[in-house]
Amino acid sequence: MGDNFFEPKEFTVSAGATVTFNLPANGEGGYGLSVTTTQWDGTVTSGPVSNIVLDTQDPVGEFIGDKITVDNAYGANSGIMRFGGTAGDSLGNGNVANVALSVNGGPYQDVTWNGDGSWNAALYVGPNPYGQNVEVSLRVTDKAGRGTTGRW
């Protein structure tokens, strides 16, 4: 296929054959795949076939602030705490598929993804969380299925 994959290449492929493309590992982003066919009678047809997105980097995420205080409480004695943070992906915020939190080893719960690189949630952490250590895990997944998990 040559040294530079980004330049258009021409292949002759018989019916039922398979063509494999090796995209560069450092060339993250979108690629368009189009095909031109020539029939036995010389008729030429061309057009787009598919779009390919190459995503080689894990998404990132973090909490805003490093300590949750009574000011983060949703309501007095509710046991519900507010959390917030950031998340992103090397291909942009639109490539973030899901942001979720787990409290004290419980199941992951989806948070509100704001689409601008920020997220927020209000989750139950226990009947009286004040002065307690609460383990919170953050999981960010991108549209390629790549994920990052962090624990605080």
Side-chain angles (χ1 to χ4, degrees):
M1 290 180 55
D3 295 329
N4 188 350
F5 181 77
F6 298 103
E7 295 177 11
K9 305 293 181 193
E10 186 174 310
F11 302 93
T12 301
V13 180
S14 61
T18 300
V19 176
T20 302
F21 296 96
N22 296 310
L23 297 172
N26 61 350
E28 278 203 337
Y31 298 91
L33 178 63
S34 62
V35 174
T36 300
T37 59
T38 304
Q39 302 296 328
W40 63 271
D41 64 358
T43 303
V44 176
T45 306
S46 65
V49 174
S50 179
N51 291 316
I52 300 168
V53 176
L54 180 63
D55 186 358
T56 61
Q57 298 181 39
D58 292 338
V60 296
E62 62 183 43
F63 284 93
I64 294 176
D66 59 354
K67 186 175 183 181
I68 297 172
T69 67
V70 72
D71 294 335
N72 299 103
Y74 187 72
N77 300 317
S78 69
I80 297 174
M81 302 297 285
R82 286 183 267 233
F83 301 91
T86 60
D89 187 76
S90 59
L91 294 178
N93 292 333
N95 201 49
V96 173
N98 181 263
V99 181
L101 289 180
S102 167
V103 177
N104 290 329
Y108 278 92
Q109 301 175 53
D110 291 344
V111 303
T112 301
W113 170 243
N114 300 314
D116 63 356
S118 67
W119 59 267
N120 59 289
L123 300 175
Y124 182 76
V125 296
N128 186 10
Y130 309 112
Q132 305 293 318
N133 289 326
V134 177
E135 182 181 290
V136 181
S137 296
L138 171 68
R139 182 178 64 200
V140 181
T141 308
D142 66 16
K143 290 182 179 177
R146 300 175 69 87
T148 298
T149 302
R151 191 163 291 174
W152 285 266

